[in-house]
DNA sequence: AAGAATTGCAACCGCACACTT
DNA sequence: CAAGTGTGCGGTTGCAATTCT
């Protein structure tokens, strides 16, 4: 697309301003100099390019003085940066770029300039436009904002955070290291970024500070994302990092040595941004430390309270939809089924994250994934009644084969601006139950929202790839949504190896001993994979969740 | 074929930070 | 140290192109 530029007109220095204005151009400025606005002409471009070639970038306000170009400095800079500078890559984003952007956005949120720093030849404006378009597109299609592999990566990293006892607010994953595998998978497309590999030993050290407490305490409910919430702390200074991003491995500051003190509040703020959680996280003393769904109890009425983030802006950091279809919360009429499902999964991406990247067309990129998912969703509507869940259908092998999804090979970033949704917040946001022992009763009871949305899962669950689905359908002949949910929840986070013990502890705390007993029973009574016990125990877990929710209703 | 609606992009705007004076 | 200036970032807007009805 693109407008037909009126570059042919070449009215750089219009002597007849009224004529130019009639062409949709406008002028502004002081009495001495009237600056032009609107589309640039080729002549203007030439002038600007010539000026930059001679004088270099910067000092944009001098352009007008030296060349007579009737453009303000900001406009010149923008034009240069977005259209005129060399090595700009024009045209549609490639599949790899799209996927990479998704990854970056999941980690950074709407930090377009920083994202652009990772995409040579692309501008922040371009990425921003692309992303906004993508949001609309996927929302229309009722699809998750992030591709499954991105979601899974975040989920697994979150799990890893959990298993490491928390994440210090100032000790962040290094983005570049975090994405190491992605770069490798993307096959040298982002070679420059590979320089970062090996700078740090892949496993960073974590502090023992509880991520829940630490992050939540520092959460600055900036009004940027929720007009309801006044800023609770002074605005953090913006960090100029775009150049740091470029420096890659050569920049020690960006490689794990960032001062912790600098980031604490900033971290919390950004993390909250990443999750669109401000409203949820800082509603005031009464709800302190309440995580997702805390609205359920914020006013003592678990079922009728309205969400506190009605004014959430469109920032979508991290595995979150910008718009949560708030109508689906509380007692408001639910939105159309498909969107509801989708929204649910924005917040609980783990369920969809296990879709095998190897067996689906998603390998071809986000657009393909979009088409594929849309098709699948569409077809699922016709089959949802005879198919069980799914999320467990991604086999351990699926995960193991996908290096991009292997959290244990990812690196931690020490981002000065840590907005990674892949921090422990992710898991808190996506799986409130996992918060377990560290959480308040509010959080546990808030599970009601989970179960309340469960019936919607059936559709989205069908997104699973046919292959993996077939493998496990025999186990999944459930119709109870809570079972489906629970199985998803369990299978995703807890079904494998070293995580099981942690999982069991956590869930025991939350869900009670009978859950564990059930778990043991299932594991001892069958040789099936962890998927099986996952289902069985999750049935129990789901029941307990229901009980909790029921309690909250009564309360 | 025509009008309406939607889409996608370029550019602008306001704000905040860094640097200079 | 405060004011002024330059720069960059993220959000928003305007509008041509495209698609839909």
């Amino acid at each position: 697309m693109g407008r037909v530029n009126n570059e042919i007109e070449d009215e750089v220095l219009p002597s007849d301003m009224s004529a130019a204005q009639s062409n949709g151009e406008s002028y502004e400025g002081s009495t001495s100099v009237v600056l032009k606005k609107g589309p640039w002409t080729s002549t203007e471009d030439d002038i600007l390019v010539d000026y930059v070639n001679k004088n270099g970038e910067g000092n944009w306000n001098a352009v007008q003085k030296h060349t007579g170009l009737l453009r303000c400095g900001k406009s010149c800079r923008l034009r240069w940066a977005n259209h005129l500078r060399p090595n700009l890559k024009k045209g549609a984003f490639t599949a790899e770029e799209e996927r990479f952007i998704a990854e970056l956005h999941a980690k950074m949120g709407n930090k377009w300039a920083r994202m652009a720093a990772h995409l040579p030849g692309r501008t922040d404006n371009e990425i921003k436009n692309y992303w906004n378009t993508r949001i609309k597109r996927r929302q229309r299609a009722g699809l998750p904002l992030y591709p499954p592999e991105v979601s899974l990566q975040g989920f697994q990293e979150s799990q890893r955070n959990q298993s490491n006892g928390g994440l210090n607010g100032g000790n962040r994953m290094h983005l570049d290291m975090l994405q190491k595998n992605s770069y490798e998978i993307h096959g040298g497309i982002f070679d420059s970024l590979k320089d970062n590999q090996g700078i740090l030993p892949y496993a960073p050290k974590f502090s023992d500070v509880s991520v829940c407490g630490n992050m939540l305490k520092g959460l600055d409910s900036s009004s940027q994302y929720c007009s309801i919430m006044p800023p609770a702390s002074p605005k953090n200074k913006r960090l100029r990092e775009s150049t740091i991003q470029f420096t890659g491995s050569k920049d020690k500051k960006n490689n794990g040595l960032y001062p912790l003190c600098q980031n604490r509040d900033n971290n919390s703020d950004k993390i909250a941004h990443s999750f669109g959680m401000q409203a949820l996280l800082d509603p005031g003393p009464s709800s302190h430390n309440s995580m997702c769904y805390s609205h359920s109890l914020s006013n003592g009425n678990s079922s009728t309270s309205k969400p506190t983030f009605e004014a959430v802006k469109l920032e979508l950091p991290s595995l979150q939809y910008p718009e949560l279809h708030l109508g689906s919360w509380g007692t408001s009429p639910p939105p159309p089924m498909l969107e509801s499902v989708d929204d649910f999964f924005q917040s609980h991406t783990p369920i969809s994250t296990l879709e095998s990247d190897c067996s689906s067309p998603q390998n071809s990129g986000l657009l393909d994934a979009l088409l594929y998912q849309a098709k699948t969703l569409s077809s699922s509507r016709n089959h949802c009644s005879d198919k069980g869940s799914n999320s467990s259908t991604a086999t351990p092998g699926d995960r193991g084969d996908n290096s991009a999804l292997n959290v244990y090979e990812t690196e931690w970033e020490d981002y000065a601006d840590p907005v990674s949704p892949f921090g422990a917040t992710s898991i808190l946001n996506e799986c409130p139950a996992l918060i377990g022992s560290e959480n308040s009763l509010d959080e546990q009871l808030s599970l009601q929202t989970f179960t309340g949305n469960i019936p919607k899962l059936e559709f989205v669950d069908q997104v699973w790839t046919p292959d993996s689905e077939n493998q496990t359908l025999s186990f999944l002949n459930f119709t109870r949504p809570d079972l489906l949910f629970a199985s998803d929840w369990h299978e995703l986070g807890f079904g494998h190896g070293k995580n099981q013990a942690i999982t069991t502890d956590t869930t025991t705390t939350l869900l009670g001993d009978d859950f564990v007993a059930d778990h043991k029973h299932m594991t001892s009574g069958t040789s099936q994979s962890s998927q099986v016990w996952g289902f069985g125990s999750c049935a129990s877990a789901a029941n307990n969740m229901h009980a909790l929710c029921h309690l909250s209703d009564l309360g």
Side-chain angles (χ1 to χ4, degrees):
Chain A
M1 261 189 142
R3 73 182 67 188
V4 174
N5 216 332
N6 51 349
E7 293 178 348
I8 324 156
E9 298 166 8
D10 288 346
E11 297 184 46
V12 182
L13 306 171
S15 55
D16 184 354
M17 188 183 305
S18 59
Q21 285 172 323
S22 68
N23 285 332
E25 301 163 354
S26 61
Y27 295 83
E28 71 174 14
S30 64
T31 53
S32 57
V33 179
V34 179
L35 298 179
K36 185 183 171 188
K37 296 168 68 176
W40 281 63
T41 67
S42 59
T43 303
E44 287 176 311
D45 286 345
D46 292 341
I47 293 173
L48 181 57
V49 169
D50 187 57
Y51 174 83
V52 174
N53 287 339
K54 290 176 181 173
N55 302 283
E57 299 182 39
N59 202 14
W60 297 109
N61 285 333
V63 176
Q64 191 272 325
K65 297 171 187 170
H66 293 157
T67 67
L69 189 61
L70 296 181
R71 295 282 183 172
C72 69
K74 289 180 73 171
S75 185
C76 291
R77 175 191 153 272
L78 198 67
R79 182 66 181 175
W80 173 260
N82 288 342
H83 300 280
L84 301 179
R85 68 182 163 94
N87 302 323
L88 270 182
K89 194 188 294 181
K90 289 293 184 179
F93 285 95
T94 67
E96 287 79 9
E97 285 176 318
E98 290 174 351
R99 186 179 307 216
F100 190 51
I101 289 171
E103 291 178 16
L104 290 176
H105 190 273
K107 295 176 175 65
M108 298 176 178
N110 293 0
K111 301 301 177 187
W112 312 119
R114 283 172 49 196
M115 293 166 72
H118 288 281
L119 288 164
R122 299 297 188 178
T123 69
D124 54 351
N125 205 41
E126 206 174 3
I127 296 171
K128 177 173 60 182
N129 285 334
Y130 160 75
W131 189 259
N132 289 335
T133 299
R134 171 191 166 85
I135 290 171
K136 293 178 188 174
R137 223 166 39 207
R138 292 185 73 89
Q139 244 182 335
R140 274 198 306 272
L143 296 174
L145 184 55
Y146 295 96
E149 64 271 22
V150 173
S151 302
L152 177 61
Q153 188 177 2
F155 177 79
Q156 290 180 320
E157 286 168 4
S158 300
Q159 270 204 301
R160 190 184 176 195
N161 288 352
Q162 286 278 335
S163 64
N164 278 280
L167 177 65
N168 186 297
N171 211 3
R172 314 299 307 180
M173 289 183 293
H174 190 290
L175 174 69
D176 295 334
M177 304 306 290
L178 178 68
Q179 296 172 153
K180 174 181 175 181
N181 291 321
S182 298
Y183 300 147
E184 292 170 349
I185 287 173
H186 295 157
I189 293 172
F190 307 105
D191 283 342
S192 63
L193 298 174
K194 288 183 175 182
D195 292 341
N196 289 323
Q197 295 181 24
I199 301 300
L200 289 175
Y202 91 88
K205 306 293 186 293
F206 299 117
S207 87
D208 55 358
V209 178
S210 161
V211 60
C212 303
N214 194 28
M215 290 195 303
L216 290 172
K217 285 175 190 170
L219 282 174
D220 167 6
S221 49
S222 162
S223 58
Q224 181 177 1
Y225 304 100
C226 179
S227 62
I228 298 174
M229 306 308 302
S233 64
K235 280 200 169 185
N236 300 307
K237 292 196 172 188
R238 193 195 312 173
L239 297 173
R240 295 174 178 274
E241 296 179 283
S242 57
T243 54
I244 296 175
Q245 299 305 319
F246 280 117
T247 59
S249 64
K250 298 172 184 63
D251 191 334
K252 290 186 171 65
K253 182 182 179 183
N254 202 28
N255 283 322
L257 303 176
Y258 220 82
L260 305 185
C261 57
Q262 174 179 346
N263 293 321
R264 192 193 177 281
D265 288 342
N266 194 34
N267 291 345
S268 306
D269 186 22
K270 296 297 180 61
I271 289 167
H273 286 196
S274 296
F275 289 89
M277 283 166 52
Q278 269 98 344
L280 297 173
L281 291 168
D282 190 15
S286 63
S287 53
H288 174 70
N289 218 24
S290 292
M291 297 291 292
C292 41
Y293 322 118
S294 62
H295 67 281
S296 298
L297 294 170
S298 61
N299 64 357
N301 187 334
S302 62
S303 60
T304 59
S305 62
K306 285 210 159 195
T308 56
F309 46 94
E310 294 183 19
V312 171
K313 290 181 74 175
L314 203 61
E315 161 126 357
L316 343 155
S318 347
L319 308 176
Q320 293 279 334
Y321 248 177
E323 299 141 6
L324 292 173
H325 285 292
L326 305 171
S328 64
W329 295 76
T331 57
S332 303
M337 178 65 87
L338 184 56
E339 293 186 6
S340 299
V341 175
D342 190 39
D343 292 343
F344 180 87
F345 276 85
Q346 300 315 309
S347 301
H348 310 285
T349 44
I351 295 172
S352 62
T353 56
L354 285 180
E355 182 171 1
S356 170
D357 193 42
C358 304
S359 54
S360 81
Q362 294 184 22
N363 285 332
S364 59
L366 295 179
L367 292 178
D368 288 349
L370 177 69
L371 291 171
Y372 174 74
Q373 292 182 356
K375 286 178 188 173
T376 314
L377 281 169
S378 175
S379 65
S380 71
R381 287 181 164 139
N382 301 326
H383 302 91
C384 61
S385 62
D386 56 13
K387 284 193 177 181
S389 155
N390 48 45
S391 36
S392 307
T393 57
T395 66
D398 288 335
R399 275 168 269 184
D401 292 340
N402 191 336
S403 62
L405 306 183
N406 189 344
V407 64
Y408 296 107
E409 291 180 10
T410 59
E411 304 288 347
W412 293 94
E413 73 174 70
D414 74 316
Y415 242 62
D417 181 12
V419 295
S420 171
F422 295 162
T425 326
S426 277
I427 200 166
L428 300 180
N429 204 30
E430 294 159 2
C431 280
L434 303 188
I435 304 168
S437 58
E438 292 192 11
N439 277 355
S440 66
L441 179 62
D442 286 8
E443 291 145 13
Q444 298 181 27
L445 294 179
S446 68
L447 288 168
Q448 178 180 21
T449 308
F450 247 163
T451 55
N453 285 287
I454 285 170
K456 302 169 184 174
L457 292 177
E458 290 187 354
F459 283 148
V460 170
D461 286 346
Q462 306 303 321
V463 173
W464 296 113
T465 60
D467 289 345
S468 57
E469 187 175 28
N470 291 337
Q471 292 173 8
T472 50
L473 271 180
S474 59
F475 303 136
L476 306 178
N477 194 17
F478 300 120
T479 53
R480 278 186 53 187
D482 52 353
L483 291 182
L484 302 182
F485 158 70
S487 61
D488 290 336
W489 174 62
H490 233 349
E491 167 61 15
L492 280 164
F494 311 149
H496 301 284
K498 63 177 82 172
N499 289 332
Q500 271 192 14
I502 301 165
T503 300
T504 303
D505 290 343
T506 306
T507 50
T508 299
T509 303
L510 174 63
L511 300 171
D513 291 335
D514 55 342
F515 165 79
V516 178
D518 194 9
H519 168 202
K520 289 176 180 176
H521 171 72
M522 294 298 294
T523 51
S524 62
T526 176
S527 60
Q528 299 288 355
S529 72
S530 57
Q531 291 176 341
V532 177
W533 76 256
F535 278 108
S537 54
C538 283
S540 175
N543 287 334
N544 285 340
M545 286 187 214
H546 279 309
L548 282 171
C549 298
H550 184 59
L551 283 173
S552 71
D553 275 336
L554 296 176

